[in-house]
Amino acid sequence: MLTMDHPVVEAFVEGDDAMQQQQHHLVGERGQRIKAAVELALARSSQGRHWGRALGRRALVLPTKDAAAVPTPRQPQLVPGGEDMEVDGLLEETADYIAALKQQVGVMRALACMLSGAGIDALPEKATTDGHVIIAPEK
């Protein structure tokens, strides 16, 4: 009978731990790539806004293995790239950024509904002033 301290069992447990660590690393790396892709898509939809250019620069710089091990502290920002802006320009960029984030939430909710099998009909819709229908990010 094999016990937990048997060499074969120990080797199996160590191998399982290594596999779980590798899987955790791959999930984290995939999450970083997804985040970069989402930020790049949001940046491209920004029509050249200041926050869009800042997001685009940030999305194109993927961390290396060494950089991922020691995260660099960042100053929290309300709007990407807005740290050197005047107040009135920052407020305009902020309003535009919030609108873009709302649209992004709507798209992500639609994807989640379609992937879960609920279908896009489960999402609330909202008409815009120009007659377009968008998926509302709020329930």
Side-chain angles (χ1 to χ4, degrees):
M1 179 170 159
L2 295 177
T3 60
M4 288 302 289
D5 59 347
H6 191 279
V8 172
V9 174
E10 286 179 2
F12 179 76
V13 171
E14 286 176 14
D16 191 41
D17 287 344
M19 189 171 26
Q20 285 179 351
Q21 287 176 352
Q22 181 182 12
Q23 193 173 28
H24 180 70
H25 174 72
L26 290 175
V27 168
E29 187 177 299
R30 186 179 325 144
Q32 289 175 343
R33 290 183 185 278
I34 290 170
K35 181 179 181 202
V38 167
E39 286 186 348
L40 190 58
L42 190 60
R44 287 183 177 161
S45 71
S46 74
Q47 299 175 346
R49 300 294 297 206
H50 189 77
W51 60 263
R53 290 190 306 271
L55 268 182
R57 285 189 302 272
R58 185 168 76 190
L60 291 175
V61 178
L62 290 176
T64 62
K65 289 183 181 182
D66 296 333
V70 182
T72 56
R74 269 200 227 170
Q75 285 290 83
Q77 296 176 5
L78 179 62
V79 177
E83 59 274 353
D84 297 327
M85 296 183 71
E86 296 293 325
V87 174
D88 52 344
L90 180 60
L91 291 175
E92 185 178 328
E93 288 285 326
T94 302
D96 191 66
Y97 185 55
I98 290 170
L101 288 174
K102 282 184 176 182
Q103 289 176 348
Q104 185 183 31
V105 168
V107 168
M108 293 173 82
R109 179 172 283 144
L111 287 171
C113 283
M114 288 189 310
L115 292 173
S116 71
I120 197 140
D121 297 331
L123 294 169
E125 293 181 349
K126 182 167 81 175
T128 62
T129 56
D130 60 358
H132 291 90
V133 175
I134 61 170
I135 298 170
E138 302 89 17
K139 279 195 171 186

